[in-house]
Amino acid sequence: MKIFAKYMSLIALFFAFSACDSELAIEPEQSLSPDVTFSNEAGAQAALFGAYSATQDLDVFGGLSFVINEYMADNVRFVGSFPTLQEINNFVTIASNTSVQAMWQDHYYAILSANAVIDNVPGVVDAGFTEAERKQFIAEAKFIRALTYFQMITLWGQPYQVNNGNTPGVPLVLKAGALVGEIVKPARNTVAEVYAQIEKDLSEALPDVANNFSAADQTRGRATKGAINALLSRVSLYKGDWAKTIQYADAILVGNNLYALASDYTFFDANTSEDIFAIQMTSTDNSRTGSGGLGGYYLPAARGGRGDAPMSASILAAYGTGDKRLSSLSITGTDATTVSSTFTNKFKDGTTNADNAPILRVTEILLNKAEALVKSTNTVNADAITLVNRLRTRAGLTPFDAAQFADANALLTAILNERRLELAFEGHRRMDLLRNGLPLRTSGATGPISKPGDPKVILPIPTREIDLGAALPQNTGY
C-alpha cells in the first residue's frame, strides 16, 4: 500500500498556481475552500497526504532533479533530445528555460501545500482529533517544507561555503495565505536564512513525529524521527557543521533497530531497513512523472525508458575491478542516440515510473559521519575508515587500511569517491563536488566547469518571476 497516490487531486482542488502573469500567484482553482477542507480530521489528513503527493511531481522529487544533479556533474552522459534539458547539460541555460520555470513553480506548490497544513490544522474543530495528532500532522508538513526548500536552495543557491551563506538564496514563503487570492512579491532570502529556516522546521518537528508506522511504506514514506535526523545530518554536512553531522548520524546508526545497512543491493524500491525516507511512487502517479520519471530517464528503450542518461565514462572508470555496485546495479542497452551504453539499474520501471525515489538511506548516513570525522579531526581517522569499510565489504572490495593514506586529504578523497559510487544517480553528485570546492566536470565539451561561486553552476531564477517585479536578483551569468 503506497498511501499518497490518490490525494494530489484533492490538494489541487483548493490550491493551484495561476497561469496568468501575476506575482508568485496562487489562486483557488475550484470552490472547495480551506475552511471546508480543514473542517475535520479526515480533511486535514487528506491535505497532508496531498502535500506528500505534491513531492511526487516530476519537477520536484519525481525524477528531473535527480537527473539534472547527476548530469551537471560527471556521473551521466546526457543524450536526451529535450532542448531545455540540453541547455542545462551544456551550461548554456537561459533564464526563460521552461523546465527551470516548471521546477521552481512545482517546488513552491509542494511548499505552499505544506504551509496550508501548518496554518490550518490548529483551527480544525473535531472532537476526535487529538492534540498529539494535530502536532504530528503539522510536524510532517514542516518536514515536507524543509525537504523541498533544501532541494531548492541547492538548485538555485550557491553552496553555503561561498561567503558563509551570505549569497542570494530563494524566497521563504511560510504562510498559506499566499494561496488564497493574495498577491505575493517575495524577496530572495540568503542561503544562510534558508538553511536556518530548514533547521528550525526540522528541530520543531522532531519531537512530534512518530518513530514508525504499522505499514512499511508509511514508515519509509512519511516523516519520522529517523527521517528528520537523517535530513538534519545532511543539512549539517552541507553547511559544514561537523559536530551536528555526527550527532544526527548517530541518532540513526547507534542503538536504532529500525535502520540497518542492507547486505546486498536488492533494497531499491522495497521499503527495507536500508531506507530512511523515500518518496513513494506507484503506477498511478505516472500523471505526475509522465514519461520522464527515474526509470524513464535512466533506462534504455528496451526496458521502457528513453535512454537519455547513460553512465559517463568517468564513473565507469571509477568503479574498481569486481565492484558489485557496478555488476549488480547496471545493464547495457542502446541510448537515445542508438549507441550501446551502460545504464544504472537502480530504477527498474521505465514504463510506469513506479520506482520509489530514494531520498535518505543508511548508506548516506555512514558516509556523512565518515566525512565529518575526517574534516573535524583533520586526521586519517580510524573510525571513518571503519564506516567506509562496511560499504566496501558489501561491494566486494578490499577494505581500506590506514597505512595507505598519506594524510587526511587522501582519506577524504577516497571517502568522496565511495560516496560517488554508493549514491550515484540519486541526485547527490553535483552538490558533493560544489561543497568541496571541486569542479563539476574536468573534461569533455563543457569541461572544465568551474567551482562554487562561479556562473551557471546553479540554475537561473526564471524570467517570469523576475518580470513580475519581485525583488529577485538574477544569479550571476544569466
Side-chain angles (χ1 to χ4, degrees):
M1 177 181 66
K2 293 185 179 182
I3 56 176
F4 308 124
K6 64 183 179 181
Y7 290 100
M8 190 64 171
S9 60
L10 176 78
I11 201 73
L13 281 174
F14 57 93
F15 300 139
F17 277 93
S18 170
C20 65
D21 288 335
S22 54
E23 288 75 3
L24 183 63
I26 298 90
E27 59 187 23
E29 186 178 69
Q30 297 187 26
S31 58
L32 184 59
S33 70
D35 288 343
V36 174
T37 302
F38 293 98
S39 60
N40 54 37
E41 179 181 0
Q45 184 179 66
L48 173 63
F49 288 178
Y52 277 111
S53 288
T55 67
Q56 297 170 320
D57 190 274
L58 167 67
D59 297 313
V60 187
F61 295 103
L64 188 58
S65 61
F66 279 50
V67 178
I68 286 175
N69 276 309
E70 297 295 326
Y71 73 58
M72 285 185 76
D74 54 0
N75 281 349
V76 162
R77 178 175 58 84
F78 186 75
V79 292
S81 59
F82 289 102
T84 56
L85 302 186
Q86 289 176 336
E87 283 182 10
I88 298 169
N89 177 65
N90 296 331
F91 292 89
V92 293
T93 311
I94 57 177
S96 59
N97 183 294
T98 55
S99 291
V100 174
Q101 170 64 48
M103 291 177 70
W104 177 279
Q105 181 168 299
D106 291 346
H107 278 73
Y108 273 111
Y109 186 92
I111 288 165
L112 293 167
S113 299
N115 287 352
V117 176
I118 295 166
D119 282 5
N120 288 287
V121 161
V124 173
V125 178
D126 187 333
F129 198 12
T130 68
E131 185 63 21
E133 289 169 334
R134 292 171 193 270
K135 288 182 177 180
Q136 179 177 317
F137 284 15
I138 293 168
E140 289 187 65
K142 287 184 176 182
F143 171 82
I144 294 168
R145 183 168 73 183
L147 178 67
T148 309
Y149 262 127
F150 187 59
Q151 179 157 279
M152 286 198 79
I153 202 61
T154 63
L155 289 169
W156 281 279
Q158 290 285 351
Y160 200 96
Q161 290 72 21
V162 178
N163 200 22
N164 202 34
N166 291 309
T167 54
V170 296
L172 285 172
V173 181
L174 305 176
K175 300 297 292 183
L179 288 165
V180 190
E182 295 181 8
I183 293 176
V184 180
K185 292 185 178 180
R188 289 184 76 174
N189 291 86
T190 66
V191 168
E193 287 170 338
V194 177
Y195 267 78
Q197 181 61 47
I198 291 166
E199 291 176 299
K200 180 176 184 291
D201 273 347
L202 294 174
S203 297
E204 289 175 353
L206 185 58
D208 295 329
V209 294
N211 277 314
N212 64 313
F213 294 87
S214 58
D217 65 332
Q218 292 193 43
T219 296
R220 311 302 168 181
R222 290 178 67 177
T224 59
K225 293 187 188 304
I228 290 176
N229 279 311
L231 184 53
L232 280 166
S233 178
R234 186 191 297 177
V235 170
S236 300
L237 181 74
Y238 282 25
K239 187 178 178 181
D241 188 333
W242 315 129
K244 285 187 176 179
T245 302
I246 295 166
Q247 171 193 331
Y248 292 121
D250 281 344
I252 301 295
L253 302 175
V254 179
N256 192 328
N257 60 10
L258 283 172
Y259 309 107
L261 189 70
S263 59
D264 58 29
Y265 302 102
T266 60
F267 60 83
F268 286 97
D269 196 43
N271 286 318
T272 72
S273 58
E274 166 88 16
D275 296 293
I276 302 170
F277 179 78
I279 302 293
Q280 304 293 301
M281 302 295 289
T282 72
S283 58
T284 59
D285 298 313
N286 194 40
S287 62
R288 287 188 291 288
T289 59
S291 62
L294 292 165
Y297 282 117
Y298 282 127
L299 291 175
R303 289 281 300 275
R306 293 198 305 269
D308 286 352
M311 293 187 185
S312 67
S314 172
I315 193 169
L316 287 171
Y319 285 103
T321 302
D323 195 324
K324 294 178 182 178
R325 293 170 295 198
L326 181 61
S327 60
S328 298
L329 292 171
S330 67
I331 57 171
T332 57
T334 302
D335 71 21
T337 63
T338 72
V339 173
S340 180
S341 304
T342 304
F343 296 84
T344 182
N345 195 34
K346 285 184 175 181
F347 313 108
K348 296 177 170 57
D349 183 356
T351 304
T352 67
N353 297 296
D355 293 286
N356 289 346
I359 306 298
L360 298 157
R361 58 187 181 91
V362 173
T363 295
E364 180 196 349
I365 305 308
L366 289 167
L367 290 162
N368 290 355
K369 183 176 179 180
E371 183 178 335
L373 284 169
V374 174
K375 287 181 173 178
S376 62
T377 63
N378 195 31
T379 65
V380 179
N381 188 279
D383 290 336
I385 292 173
T386 298
L387 290 170
V388 174
N389 280 343
R390 294 176 62 185
L391 304 177
R392 289 184 61 81
T393 298
R394 181 172 70 173
L397 301 176
T398 303
F400 287 145
D401 184 274
Q404 72 189 87
F405 300 107
D407 54 26
N409 285 334
L411 176 55
L412 179 61
T413 298
I415 290 172
L416 292 176
N417 187 60
E418 293 300 316
R419 188 177 181 94
R420 178 187 191 184
L421 302 179
E422 285 283 346
L423 303 178
F425 318 111
E426 298 175 44
H428 296 263
R429 181 61 172 166
R430 174 179 153 274
M431 277 302 296
D432 283 343
L433 290 168
L434 290 179
R435 64 185 178 79
N436 280 287
L438 299 171
L440 292 180
R441 299 179 196 157
T442 57
S443 62
T446 56
I449 296 300
S450 299
K451 298 178 181 179
D454 290 337
K456 297 204 173 183
V457 297
I458 56 178
L459 298 179
I461 304 300
T463 297
R464 174 185 177 274
E465 306 302 323
I466 293 175
D467 288 348
L468 295 174
L472 296 175
Q474 184 57 273
N475 285 326
T476 302
Y478 295 102

